[in-house]
């Protein structure tokens, strides 16, 4: 054990029992083990992929979640001061950009004020929509994002630090200050997995603010500055206007999405020669790269180990 | 003693998975984070051979598949990491010759692991992105792993070297 201090680079290859050249003597058993492990992986994939919603893997998934979830929460909490320092530095440049962008926007808006009467109608409609979103008074449970799935897994999911013990169930709407974030996929006792609306598997019913047309929003699976959603309208003859606001359309009993939550604005509209329908690209309001505090929409009577915010503040805000 | 050693390897795997999910999203580039589990598996495979590496790969992969935010079909990361462990085990005598060779092994393994995972997603129709986006993710992941490997690989290899697998309690 003379060279414990350094890495073993440069030492001759020895196998588990000190024999040289792997594969000569132990190759057979090694191959068996490797073969078994590959077969085991393929079995798990097959079992999980073939059995759809009720997978035999689910108990294992929730068991691992119950153990690792709290560890993730505490790790995220422990690194939060560091995280906030990092956010300070990274947001500084962003804020500079914002100042430049906003001053440009300001001068543009000043010239547009002249044309106000023209836009007043539309503004009233939009305002009405946003206030309904404020006034609906959903009960919310606040939670923090503690884990984000790596992009290498190609799915856009996050873990939040509130779970079944706070009254959170699968298929509940998740939102934050800016707009719709996603929906709850599964819960463990203290954590919940949230599918972001950016994920390719996510479909949200959306409604255009200006003409109340409905459509479906699909995620592109990309976060960052290029995180966008595709909107396909049900009525093919309608062309969405650029800058139009899209809100959730809502479904029965608010499962999985409650109505009237702002999603984003129409960034561009395009159509392909093959089909009649127009496709709109939606720029979401929520910044998915810096998700932190989110709210989960729960039934009003929910009792759990966390405070349920009953939307009173939102009501006074909307009453003006 | 045996159990302690096994426990140590287990703890390293759990830490890698937890950090990947809960800490490194601070530094993520377009959501891509360093694949710490992959580096652990490559280190194990180079240090102790493909059999040990594949076992570590299977456990780490399964943990990645099941740990909270994961929503994809379970077993996909397990398959990718087992294959990578076999590859790293094959070239272990070369990979130990110089730090650069070790780094190159990590780079190749990163490319293959992310690609295998992406392809399995395409085959299963599970969270598949357009090819262009996927290649971009594979590329950023490769760069991340190359940046992180020099910091982690020597330490991890030294750790696995000292835990002889005959002492491990499976």
């Amino acid at each position: 054990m003379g060279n414990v201090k350094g890495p073993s680079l440069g030492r001759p290859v020895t196998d588990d029992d000190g024999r040289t050249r792997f594969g000569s003597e132990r190759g057979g058993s090694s191959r068996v083990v490797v073969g078994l492990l590959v077969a085991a992986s393929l079995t798990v994939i097959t079992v999980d992929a073939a059995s759809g919603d009720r997978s035999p893997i689910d108990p294992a998934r929730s068991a691992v979640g119950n153990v690792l979830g709290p560890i993730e929460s505490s790790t995220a909490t422990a690194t939060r001061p560091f995280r906030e320092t990092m956010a300070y530095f990274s947001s500084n440049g962003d804020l500079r950009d914002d100042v430049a962008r906003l001053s440009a926007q300001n001068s543009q808006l000043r010239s547009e004020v002249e044309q106000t009467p023209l836009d007043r109608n539309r503004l009233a409609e939009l305002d009405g929509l946003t206030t309904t979103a404020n006034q609906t008074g959903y009960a919310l449970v606040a939670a923090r994002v503690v884990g984000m799935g790596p992009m290498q897994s190609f799915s856009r999911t996050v873990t939040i630090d509130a779970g079944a013990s706070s009254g959170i169930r699968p298929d509940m709407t998740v939102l934050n200050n800016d707009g719709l974030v996603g929906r709850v996929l599964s819960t463990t006792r203290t954590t919940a997995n949230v599918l972001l609306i950016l994920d390719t598997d996510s479909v949200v019913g959306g409604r255009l603010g200006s003409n109340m047309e409905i459509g479906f929003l699909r995620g592109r699976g990309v976060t960052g500055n290029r995180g966008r959603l595709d909107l396909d309208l049900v009525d093919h003859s309608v062309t969405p206007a650029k800058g139009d606001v899209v809100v959730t359309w809502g479904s029965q009993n608010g499962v999985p999405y409650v109505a009237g939550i702002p999603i984003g604005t129409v960034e561009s509209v395009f159509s392909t020669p093959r089909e009649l329908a127009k496709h709109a690209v939606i720029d979401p309001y929520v910044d998915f790269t810096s998700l932190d505090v989110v709210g989960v929409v729960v039934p009003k009577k929910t009792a759990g180990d966390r405070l349920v915010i009953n939307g009173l503040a939102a009501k006074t805000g909307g009453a003006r | 003693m045996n159990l302690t050693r096994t426990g140590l390897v287990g703890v390293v795997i759990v830490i890698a998975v937890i950090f990947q999910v809960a800490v490194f999203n601070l530094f993520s580039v377009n959501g891509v984070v360093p694949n710490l589990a992959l580096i652990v598996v490559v280190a194990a495979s180079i240090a102790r051979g493909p059999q040990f590496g594949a076992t570590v790969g299977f456990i780490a992969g399964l943990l990645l598949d099941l740990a909270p935010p994961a929503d994809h079909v379970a077993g996909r990361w397990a398959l990718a990491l087992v294959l990578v462990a076999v590859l790293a085990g094959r070239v272990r005598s070369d990979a130990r010759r110089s730090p650069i060779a070790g780094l190159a092994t990590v780079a190749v393994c990163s490319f293959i692991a992310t690609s295998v995972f992406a392809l399995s997603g395409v085959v299963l129709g599970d969270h598949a992105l357009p090819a262009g986006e996927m290649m971009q993710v594979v590329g950023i992941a490769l760069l991340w792993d190359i940046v992180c490997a020099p910091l982690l690989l020597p330490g991890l290899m030294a750790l696995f070297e000292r835990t002889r697998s005959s002492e491990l309690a499976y």
Side-chain angles (χ1 to χ4, degrees), chain A residues 126-261:
Chain A
L126 287 181
D127 202 28
L129 268 175
T130 43
T131 46
T132 40
N134 284 337
Q135 282 174 332
T136 28
Y138 300 117
L140 292 177
V141 168
R144 293 190 103 140
V145 173
V146 294
M148 191 171 260
M151 188 62 202
Q152 282 103 318
S153 296
F154 298 110
S155 53
R156 304 317 292 141
T157 48
V158 297
T159 309
I160 57 173
D161 65 354
S165 64
S166 316
I168 294 175
R169 307 269 173 275
D171 282 340
M172 283 181 167
T173 311
V174 181
L175 44 84
N176 74 356
N177 258 348
D178 302 321
L180 183 69
V181 171
R183 70 181 157 93
V184 176
L185 272 181
S186 60
T187 58
T188 67
R189 210 177 61 75
T190 56
T191 61
N193 288 348
V194 176
L195 183 75
L196 303 183
I197 53 172
L198 291 179
D199 191 276
T200 45
D201 280 7
S202 161
V203 180
V204 187
R207 189 189 283 283
L208 280 176
S210 63
N211 53 13
M212 309 299 272
E213 286 295 335
I214 55 173
F216 296 97
L217 292 121
R218 287 183 177 77
R220 287 186 173 177
V222 182
T223 38
N225 295 329
R226 298 167 304 118
R228 294 289 181 273
L229 302 155
D230 287 312
L231 171 67
D232 295 320
L233 289 174
V234 173
D235 185 348
H236 289 183
S237 61
V238 177
T239 307
K242 199 175 165 186
D244 209 345
V245 176
V246 182
V247 300
T248 52
W249 158 23
S251 28
Q252 202 176 9
N253 299 329
V255 172
Y257 295 106
V258 290
I261 308 295

Side-chain angles (χ1 to χ4, degrees), chain A residues 1 4-18 21-22 26 29-31 33-34 37-38 40-42 44-46 48-49 57 60-62 64-66 68-69 71-73 75-76 79 82-84 86-87 145-159 185-186 188 191 193-195 199-201 220-226 289, chain B residues 14 17-23 25-28 30-35 47-52 54-55 58 62-79 82-83 86 89-99 102 114 117-118 120 124-130 133-134 136-138 141 145 154-155 157-158 161-162 164-166:
Chain A
M1 283 308 212
V4 178
K5 58 182 190 304
S8 56
L9 299 169
R11 267 211 272 159
V13 175
T14 55
D15 210 338
D16 293 346
D17 300 327
R21 307 277 351 147
F22 86 95
R26 298 172 55 91
S29 91
S30 157
R31 214 162 288 164
V33 169
V34 166
L37 289 174
V38 171
S41 310
L42 289 174
V44 173
I45 293 177
T46 318
D48 198 21
I57 308 294
R61 217 182 261 279
S62 64
V64 170
N66 271 321
L68 291 190
I71 305 182
E72 278 177 20
S73 299
T75 313
T79 54
F82 184 56
R83 187 182 300 265
E84 270 150 23
M86 288 289 295
V145 173
V146 294
M148 191 171 260
M151 188 62 202
Q152 282 103 318
S153 296
F154 298 110
S155 53
R156 304 317 292 141
T157 48
V158 297
T159 309
L185 272 181
S186 60
T188 67
T191 61
N193 288 348
V194 176
L195 183 75
D199 191 276
T200 45
D201 280 7
R220 287 186 173 177
V222 182
T223 38
N225 295 329
R226 298 167 304 118
T289 51
Chain B
V14 171
V17 171
I18 294 282
F19 269 54
Q20 204 165 324
V21 169
V23 178
N25 53 15
L26 275 177
F27 312 105
S28 70
N30 284 345
V32 184
V33 297
N35 200 340
R48 297 243 51 86
Q51 185 175 343
F52 178 67
T55 314
F58 184 72
L62 215 52
L63 216 53
L64 270 184
D65 287 324
L66 299 179
D71 176 45
H72 52 264
V73 173
R76 286 172 61 195
W77 272 120
L79 178 67
V82 167
L83 293 179
V86 175
R90 289 264 147 192
V91 298
R92 62 191 282 245
S93 54
D94 298 316
R96 284 148 59 111
R97 217 155 269 156
S98 75
T114 323
F117 185 87
S120 68
L124 295 167
D126 183 32
H127 294 286
L129 293 188
E133 301 283 359
M134 278 192 173
Q136 200 176 3
V137 171
V138 171
D145 293 342
M157 278 174 62
E161 283 280 306
R162 292 169 66 184
R164 304 221 144 252
S165 72
S166 51

